[in-house]
Amino acid sequence: MHEGEAAVSAAGDNTARATGGAEPGYRKTGKRDTKPAPATGVHFDSGAAVPNATPASADGAEHSTVPFQYDAILLSGFGGPEGQDDVIPFLRNVTRGRGIPDERLEEVAHHYRHFGGVSPINDHNRQLLTALRTALDSAGIDLPVYWGNRNWAPYLDEALQQAAADGVRTMLAIPTSAYSSYSSCRQYREDWADALETSGLQETLRIDKVRQFFSHPGFLQPFIEGVRDAVAAALKAGNQLADVEIMFATHSIPTADAARSGAGLFPDVEGGGYAAQHLAAAEEIIAQAAPEVSWQLVYQSRSGPPSQPWLEPDINDAIEELEGRKAVIIVPLGFVSDHMEVMWDLDEEATETATERGLWVHRAPTPGVHPAFVGALVDLVQERIEGRPADQRANVTTIGPWFDVCRPGCCENPRLGFKPAIAGLQP
């Protein structure tokens, strides 16, 4: 999940606004404020079951075992503001279609204002872009990498336009999110559809996606190391193993959305595939890093009306309810890099809650550009180029490897309905 998602579940609309005499969607400085318009449809090649897919994925099989040489990689980020003037336009993009007035958005904006209106997420993606290009070169994979964001510059349609101008016709997309849910998977697929239609490339550009990578050992390795280091630090500070509680934190989502995540494969798990994937990842991390330490999965960044059920427990409530513990280790399991909801919700709010209770507290790092994580992204590319069978793919959890092509109806947001999306079976 990503920053700004707290605003996603309140109700709001992103109406493109001109500033002065500027072209709609642009400021007088020429800086673009608005993301691509919603797509009205998708393109199917003759006989294809998946829109805008390459021949390797067009039949809709769960895992593609057809070797395929892509022209390029599309690193897809959430985006974030890089100055005070960016904050409200960015939040309008995030909440487009939900009718939220700017006054309500300002309630979320104060998190960004606290940090000068700058989110670190774009800089982290720039670092990841460089690291990924270097790692691909080292692996002998000669593919250019384009970077586009869903909600702020550089936008996805800009990346696609540049790629097409460079002669690219097939791309493998890497979302900067590891799990299945509306915001962390399906909304990427919708935004790729939006970008294709806006850029006029529906009939000429084909885009597949890598699988959700929550179960890849390279994604989990930075967390394993982080937990080991944090436990060692807790012991050095005078705590015993029995004094420590590990809290794996991820973004909360409405329970109705969670139940529809992961193609509905986990009806017996409260929170559906979204919770099941996090639990499986946490179990592997604990087994490798701290099998004797108590742990739990907690949620953060809840928003929306109190009457709407969301996944619980909230991390702050969980900290308040701890008994017999002297130390808390917070693991940002739902995030690939530091951004506003890590810096504010965990480093500020949750840390303050723990400190006020007299608890020793430590927040483990996100994967960022850890070599194991970057290596995992390269491996995800390699498995698609090779057409690697599912049973030969890197996977260390009790579920997975996840699907290359999203299943019908996966991660529906019932309040918004189905929108045009690629890289999955319809709807």
Side-chain angles (χ1 to χ4, degrees), residues 54-59 61 63-70 208 381-389 393 404:
T54 73
S57 298
D59 64 357
H63 297 96
S64 175
T65 56
V66 178
F68 190 82
Q69 184 57 55
Y70 294 91
D208 296 338
V381 173
Q382 288 175 314
E383 69 184 24
R384 297 302 295 278
I385 293 175
E386 298 168 5
R388 197 181 300 167
R393 298 185 182 190
D404 297 335

Side-chain angles (χ1 to χ4, degrees), residues 78-97:
F78 188 82
E82 299 190 87
Q84 294 286 15
D85 291 343
D86 297 348
V87 175
I88 293 300
F90 160 73
L91 290 174
R92 291 181 193 139
N93 282 333
V94 174
T95 61
R96 181 172 70 184

